[in-house]
Amino acid sequence: MLTAVDLAATFVLAAECALTGVQADLDLFGILVLAFAGSVGGGVIRDLLLGEHPPAPLRDWRYAALALAATAGVIAASLMLGPVANVTPPLAIDMFEGVGLALAAVAGTRKCLDYGLDGAPVVVIATINGCGGGILRDVLIARVPHVLHEDFYATAVLAGATLMVVLIQRFGLRRDAAGIVAGIAIFSLRAAALLEAWRLPHLR
């Protein structure tokens, strides 16, 4: 279950990053680099923090294959239909990223629990897992990372990871079921924030 969720997150985030690369007018190689870094970056940092060497995304060929497949799909669609990112509403891309964010955060929480961690360390590493790839993506295209100014981005992950830990450790819910609940909660919070323009306090 953990591997399946992790791979699903890789595919979704790679497609979203490839769309972002098309929007940023990167060349084909640049789009591929952005998609791979953005889709597995969070998982690599997670595994390094857990002491797993080499990290799963660099050890298992399926991560790279899924990132390549997602990127190839976006590139093929752009070549046949015109740059798909240019006709895809920004809200749709953000929603798609929300799915990947939820999957990655659930995978990070589950893996931390499998390693015997509990409490705050699980939530912190899960948040890094969910947001790390997006930070790398934004740094590579020279824009302020979403996590620093997009409301209910990291906040959604923090809430979902905390919920998953509580459901498992306090209420004894099975990890798979808790992961489903947490994933839905993360995506719902992120989607609601996008649709309703929820904002955390800003200084101006």
Side-chain angles (χ1 to χ4, degrees), residues 30-89:
I31 294 171
L32 179 59
V33 170
L34 189 71
F36 183 74
S39 62
V40 305
V44 169
I45 298 171
R46 171 203 66 203
D47 287 353
L48 291 175
L49 290 173
L50 291 173
E52 185 173 319
H53 304 286
L58 302 181
R59 186 178 66 249
D60 189 335
W61 63 269
R62 291 175 294 180
Y63 289 86
L66 284 172
L68 177 61
T71 305
V74 171
I75 291 174
S78 296
L79 292 175
M80 291 186 295
L81 306 174
V84 292
N86 294 342
V87 297
T88 304

Side-chain angles (χ1 to χ4, degrees), residues 67-186:
L68 177 61
T71 305
V74 171
I75 291 174
S78 296
L79 292 175
M80 291 186 295
L81 306 174
V84 292
N86 294 342
V87 297
T88 304
L91 179 61
I93 296 178
D94 286 339
M95 288 289 192
F96 195 59
E97 183 188 17
V99 175
L101 188 69
L103 290 169
V106 169
T109 306
R110 175 65 183 268
K111 191 158 190 175
C112 288
L113 292 172
D114 288 349
Y115 265 76
L117 299 181
D118 60 11
V122 175
V123 176
V124 171
I125 295 177
T127 302
I128 292 172
N129 193 167
C131 302
I135 293 173
L136 287 175
R137 173 204 63 208
D138 292 341
V139 168
L140 287 173
I141 60 173
R143 74 181 183 190
V144 178
H146 280 175
V147 69
L148 299 181
H149 67 90
E150 285 281 336
D151 299 331
F152 295 95
Y153 188 89
T155 310
V157 177
L158 285 166
T162 300
L163 175 62
M164 185 171 173
V165 171
V166 170
L167 288 175
I168 294 171
Q169 298 186 341
R170 301 300 181 190
F171 295 96
L173 194 64
R174 289 183 55 191
R175 292 184 178 183
D176 292 347
I180 293 172
V181 173
I184 293 173
I186 293 169

